[in-house]
Amino acid sequence: MVILMAMEDELLESLKKKPVTLRFPYERARPEDRMQAKVTWEIEKCIGCNLCVKVCPSNAIKLIGRGRKAEIRYHVGRCLFCGECVDVCPTKAIQTTKEFELAFTKPEEMILEFRR
Amino acid sequence: MVKAIDIPFGPQHPALEEPINFTFEVEEERVVDVKIRLGYIHRGIEKLAENRTYHQNVYLVERICGICSFAHTTCYTQAVEELLGVDIPERAKYIRTIFCEMERIQNHYLWLGFTAKAMGFETLFMYTWRDREAMLEVLEMISGKRVNYGMNTIGGVRRDITGKMVERMEERLNYLEERANYYKKVCTKERSILKRTVGVGMLEPSDALNLCAVGPTLRASGIPQDVRADEPYAAYGEIPFRVVTYDGCDVASRILVRIDEIIESVKMIRRALDGMPQGPIRVKVPKNVPKGEAVSLVEAPRGEDLHYLRSDGSDRPARLKVRAPTLANLPSLRKMLKGVNIADIPIVIAGIDPCLACMERVILVDTKSKKGQAWSGEELWRYANEWYRES
């Protein structure tokens, strides 16, 4: 049977409902537990092993100096938030945060440095 | 006698999501011939893959396509694992299967909305995209991301599915199955959909086979060909399922094939969750890959996806070749477009589920003038003929 409006019932139902979208700046969805966003270093724990630099698929991490004196330069703009560096770190010095609103006004602000 | 005129369509056109150029030769309202010209979004991924390690390439390959990202990584990691001679754990195989199917569900919901939009049925578009969100939430819950999941790795998967997640998944799967059944009812009864799709964009079974169509486009012409059934990878050999076919050969059958695949995928995920063994989810693999070649096939949501990999024994691939399903479907698209009305062009193009960014990776560089140039098929043809005549 061919009918003119197959979605009629659905559309009438929807008149009673509120919009399903969130009004973003005022309402926020709860982030999932496994969500990965910006990465931070606990630089005291870092032993300068260079593993995170090698594993990073987008060359977002740079090590300045060597060994326990090394400092980290992290390009947020290049990061894919894959979390490979977090998995590979032998001393658990790298953690992911749930900070995903990463808009900056200047390009220099997108490079984060972790110093001792 | 009416003179045929050429109508250029694209590369920038509201009916196209991605840049591609069609030149339609039309007589009054009928399309008599089509020329397809590609090369507007070439990104150089294959060359880039040669300069990065196998492990880094997983993330590069994932970004070939935003929608079928998991199919591409599965295909790539399978090829690397074949070269390494690694057998991945059973649980990892099941998780890969579940993810492949979840990706198929979200892709088909997205496509249904996209097609509805192409035929001017905006309401259906809004509703299907709302329902797609249920699948994306599950994907986000397990992997932490909505599109490029970062789940696959060489030697297994990175994240496990826990008991709590299974409960939430089942609730969402029930909802999605119910909605898919509802959309099936809508698409078989609603008059505007039937008027726009039945008998439009015909592709006879013999043409579909000759022109090497793949995926739902081929199955809508009544040919039961599916990599999951023909050459089972991951855990598909252990999960029984039905290969969905319809023999209408038109856009309406392509819609029904995809809706039925959603329902079939939901059932497959339930079976996989029931039969999923316990155990580890990944194995450690060496950095360097032994010399050799491997070809890997995966049934992506859009059809058969092929990755060819050659290794020279180092930690970087010597060659990676990707044949995305849209490229295989383009010759049959040309066949489908012949004889349709101008007004039916968007819906026929939407019918093959084109993903151009996946497909574009051919560019020819003239070494004499050092000029990069994307060639049209005709230029390539002429060049090939001349080259053979000279040699």
Side-chain angles (χ1 to χ4, degrees):
Chain A
M1 189 187 68
V2 176
I3 43 180
L4 184 61
M5 276 180 67
M7 292 181 80
E8 205 174 39
D9 306 341
E10 180 85 23
L11 297 178
L12 288 172
E13 285 266 300
S14 296
L15 284 176
K16 298 177 218 158
K17 288 182 193 161
K18 284 183 183 172
V20 290
T21 45
L22 294 174
R23 293 162 66 232
F24 169 65
Y26 316 109
E27 293 173 346
R28 276 154 206 259
R30 197 179 64 83
E32 294 289 342
D33 297 336
R34 285 185 175 177
M35 179 186 164
Q36 291 169 336
K38 203 173 94 181
V39 183
T40 56
W41 269 259
E42 270 182 53
I43 198 72
E44 298 79 35
K45 283 191 191 170
C46 179
I47 53 169
C49 64
N50 216 19
L51 277 176
C52 52
V53 179
K54 276 185 192 159
V55 84
C56 182
S58 57
N59 303 327
I61 308 168
K62 249 187 195 148
L63 209 67
I64 298 155
R66 297 179 79 184
R68 288 193 174 271
K69 282 181 184 163
E71 290 172 355
I72 300 286
R73 192 175 284 166
Y74 166 50
H75 295 251
V76 189
R78 291 186 196 166
C79 185
L80 304 173
F81 311 114
C82 63
E84 286 284 350
C85 50
V86 180
D87 295 352
V88 85
C89 186
T91 57
K92 307 253 179 306
I94 315 175
Q95 284 104 34
T96 50
T97 61
K98 297 207 187 310
E99 198 186 330
F100 65 92
E101 288 160 43
L102 299 168
F104 299 97
T105 47
K106 286 178 199 148
E108 306 92 78
E109 289 172 13
M110 292 168 81
I111 302 167
L112 301 182
E113 290 194 349
F114 296 90
R115 292 168 192 277
R116 284 177 202 268
Chain B
M1 178 71 197
V2 188
K3 211 182 142 214
I5 47 166
D6 287 353
I7 297 182
F9 185 82
Q12 307 299 332
H13 191 277
L16 298 169
E17 260 69 8
E18 289 170 285
I20 184 170
N21 176 243
F22 296 94
T23 307
F24 295 103
E25 206 175 292
V26 296
E27 279 177 9
E28 289 182 346
E29 275 297 303
R30 288 216 169 257
V31 176
V32 285
D33 202 3
V34 193
K35 284 182 199 133
I36 301 175
R37 190 173 169 168
L38 316 170
Y40 296 96
I41 36 171
H42 175 73
R43 292 176 293 170
I45 282 184
E46 284 176 6
K47 190 68 195 163
L48 186 58
E50 291 167 19
N51 301 323
R52 301 151 75 85
T53 62
Y54 283 97
H55 190 83
Q56 287 177 327
N57 275 339
V58 176
Y59 294 94
L60 178 69
V61 165
E62 191 160 53
R63 276 152 185 83
I64 288 176
C65 182
I67 304 300
C68 37
S69 60
F70 197 80
H72 279 288
T73 48
T74 308
C75 206
Y76 171 77
T77 48
Q78 272 178 24
V80 181
E81 280 152 14
E82 196 188 315
L83 282 175
L84 284 165
V86 176
D87 239 356
I88 67 164
E90 279 299 306
R91 193 175 173 84
K93 283 184 185 169
Y94 271 82
I95 293 175
R96 274 188 188 174
T97 311
I98 291 168
F99 254 74
C100 278
E101 290 313 307
M102 291 206 288
E103 195 179 65
R104 196 178 316 280
I105 293 172
Q106 69 95 354
N107 174 73
H108 285 356
Y109 266 109
L110 177 129
W111 176 85
L112 190 58
F114 176 57
T115 311
K117 194 171 144 265
M119 64 176 116
F121 196 174
E122 295 263 343
T123 316
L124 187 59
F125 162 67
M126 292 288 180
Y127 274 82
T128 47
W129 280 46
R130 182 198 67 186
D131 295 337
R132 174 179 174 247
E133 209 62 24
M135 195 79 262
L136 288 180
E137 273 170 25
V138 173
L139 287 164
E140 192 187 355
M141 173 181 72
I142 298 168
S143 70
K145 309 226 172 57
R146 281 162 57 92
V147 276
N148 291 325
Y149 318 110
M151 273 290 278
N152 257 329
T153 189
I154 300 163
V157 290
R158 289 178 62 205
R159 283 151 196 281
D160 205 350
I161 299 176
T162 61
K164 226 180 186 179
M165 290 175 176
V166 174
E167 275 172 36
R168 206 170 139 195
M169 263 171 88
E170 262 160 15
E171 177 201 318
R172 293 299 161 96
L173 288 175
N174 290 340
Y175 171 74
L176 286 161
E177 193 182 24
E178 186 195 308
R179 294 301 299 175
N181 281 319
Y182 173 72
Y183 291 129
K184 194 177 172 187
K185 200 189 86 193
V186 169
C187 291
T188 45
K189 287 189 174 166
E190 163 82 38
R191 200 173 68 176
S192 54
I193 296 182
L194 292 177
K195 265 198 153 175
R196 290 297 305 270
T197 58
V198 174
V200 171
M202 297 297 278
L203 183 70
E204 297 300 325
S206 56
D207 289 334
L209 274 178
N210 288 340
L211 297 167
C212 304
V214 291
T217 314
L218 180 64
R219 292 196 283 276
S221 290
I223 295 156
Q225 211 179 72
D226 192 321
V227 184
R228 293 176 290 168
D230 302 340
E231 262 183 71
Y233 55 93
Y236 282 110
E238 293 149 47
I239 301 165
F241 71 101
R242 183 171 70 92
V243 178
V244 182
T245 54
Y246 274 86
D247 46 12
C249 309
D250 52 4
V251 178
S253 324
R254 276 165 223 146
I255 292 175
L256 292 176
V257 162
R258 283 178 171 102
I259 294 175
D260 273 11
E261 275 187 11
I262 292 173
I263 299 165
E264 200 60 37
S265 290
V266 170
K267 287 179 189 159
M268 283 168 81
I269 295 171
R270 285 204 195 112
R271 281 173 205 146
L273 284 172
D274 287 343
M276 195 157 67
Q278 293 296 325
I281 53 165
R282 68 189 281 187
V283 287
K284 276 216 150 189
V285 291
K287 208 171 73 180
N288 286 6
V289 174
K291 244 181 186 177
E293 291 178 306
V295 172
S296 164
L297 285 174
V298 159
E299 182 76 18
R302 296 182 165 95
E304 180 191 294
D305 183 21
L306 181 145
H307 282 222
Y308 163 82
L309 193 68
R310 194 171 72 223
S311 166
D312 54 3
S314 68
D315 62 343
R316 278 142 220 260
R319 178 84 175 97
L320 171 70
K321 165 76 195 152
V322 181
R323 207 291 320 272
T326 305
L327 189 64
N329 273 336
L330 273 189
S332 49
L333 176 64
R334 192 161 170 242
K335 184 88 194 170
M336 284 176 219
L337 283 170
K338 278 182 193 172
V340 301
N341 290 328
I342 292 175
D344 290 331
I345 289 169
I347 180 88
V348 174
I349 293 174
I352 67 153
D353 198 357
C355 178
L356 307 175
C358 290
M359 169 191 81
E360 297 233 340
R361 49 185 57 75
V362 180
I363 196 155
L364 296 160
V365 180
D366 189 353
T367 45
K368 276 177 201 157
S369 61
K370 301 269 180 215
K371 221 163 73 180
Q373 189 187 19
W375 280 17
S376 67
E378 217 175 336
E379 280 171 316
L380 185 67
W381 198 24
R382 204 184 308 132
Y383 173 80
N385 284 344
E386 272 173 18
W387 188 82
Y388 269 106
R389 215 172 289 138
E390 277 166 20
S391 62

